[in-house]
Amino acid sequence: MTTTLITGANKGLGFEAARRLVAAGHTVYVGARDAERGRAAADELGARFVQLDVTDDASVQAAAKAVEADGGLDVLINNAGIETRTEDNGVPVARTVTADQMRRTFETNVFGVVRVLGAFLPLLERSAAPVVVNVSSGLASLTHLSDPDHPAHFYPGIAYPTSKTAVNMLTVQYAKAFPALRINSVEPGFTRTDLNGNTGTQTVEEGAEIIVRMAQVAPDGPTGGYFDVKGPLPW
């Protein structure tokens, strides 16, 4: 039985990925900051709940101990993320972005990944087929954002894409450091979720496809890569 933890799994892409992996036979932990929402989501899915705030060291360490006590971990999906939005559902642009907005975004999207990976690596290293999926974004691609012929080029925000580019670098460096693990970044696509004020153009079912696929990658599968549903993406 494969045991999987998904951070930020009480709604959106995390919830849908959890639903699909439960259906595939995984024992899934729904990681969530809010205990009431997390338990409700886990109950609905037939999953387990673990309280986990990726911005809090004590919360992450407690979650790791709880999962270890229940038997360990095979797959970690770093899904929890935020995108700073203005009151009119816009994004802070180069002229207006503040250091505090950058810091808040990085605390969840980047430092949260480091915090969770650090806590759960000992468990993953005991698994026969350990996998890490870092939920990134198409906006992390320097190639696409610097190409005036690519739609991503016109995204004006600063904090979110910068944080996801950093996540991609974490993927590369952790994959090199831990070659026994399969560690990859994925781009779900522009999905309708609370993160973007439900302005996305695809469903959570569509968005979760690449997350679920890479969560089930074989021990001889790719590592240190960046993928969407069509295949590898340029950094």
Side-chain angles (χ1 to χ4, degrees), residues 24-223:
H26 288 220
T27 296
V28 175
Y29 284 91
V30 169
R33 289 181 300 172
D34 186 292
E36 184 176 350
R37 293 177 181 175
R39 286 195 183 94
D43 288 345
E44 181 178 346
L45 292 164
R48 301 178 182 181
F49 167 68
V50 64
Q51 198 281 331
L52 198 162
D53 179 350
V54 302
T55 69
D56 182 83
D57 287 332
S59 172
V60 172
Q61 290 295 331
K65 289 179 181 177
V67 172
E68 181 178 25
D70 276 348
L73 188 68
D74 302 297
V75 179
L76 170 63
I77 301 176
N78 286 307
N79 168 73
I82 62 170
E83 181 183 33
T84 301
R85 289 266 163 172
T86 59
E87 290 184 1
D88 60 355
N89 202 38
V91 293
V93 297
R95 185 177 295 277
T96 62
V97 68
T98 67
D100 283 343
Q101 289 169 334
M102 293 290 291
R103 188 177 297 111
R104 178 171 175 265
T105 304
F106 267 64
E107 188 62 57
T108 295
N109 295 4
V110 182
F111 307 149
V113 171
V114 174
R115 188 175 285 114
V116 173
L117 268 170
F120 285 92
L121 270 168
L123 278 66
L124 290 165
E125 289 183 299
R126 297 173 202 161
S127 170
V131 171
V132 176
V133 179
N134 293 326
V135 179
S136 181
S137 168
L139 297 173
S141 172
L142 297 175
T143 299
H144 285 166
L145 265 72
S146 59
D147 178 2
D149 293 324
H150 194 280
H153 175 77
F154 300 97
Y155 178 86
I158 302 295
Y160 183 75
T162 305
S163 73
K164 291 301 187 178
T165 301
V167 168
N168 282 358
M169 181 60 77
L170 292 178
T171 293
V172 169
Q173 296 297 83
Y174 274 96
K176 290 190 295 182
F178 300 97
L181 279 66
R182 304 294 90 185
I183 305 175
N184 294 289
S185 285
V186 299
E187 139 68 332
F190 189 30
T191 305
R192 287 190 294 278
T193 66
D194 289 349
L195 180 139
N196 54 47
N198 292 295
T199 58
T201 56
Q202 64 178 21
T203 66
V204 289
E205 290 81 8
E206 293 170 311
E209 172 62 31
I210 188 61
I211 301 174
V212 172
R213 184 188 305 173
M214 297 309 291
Q216 299 178 93
V217 71
D220 62 350
T223 191

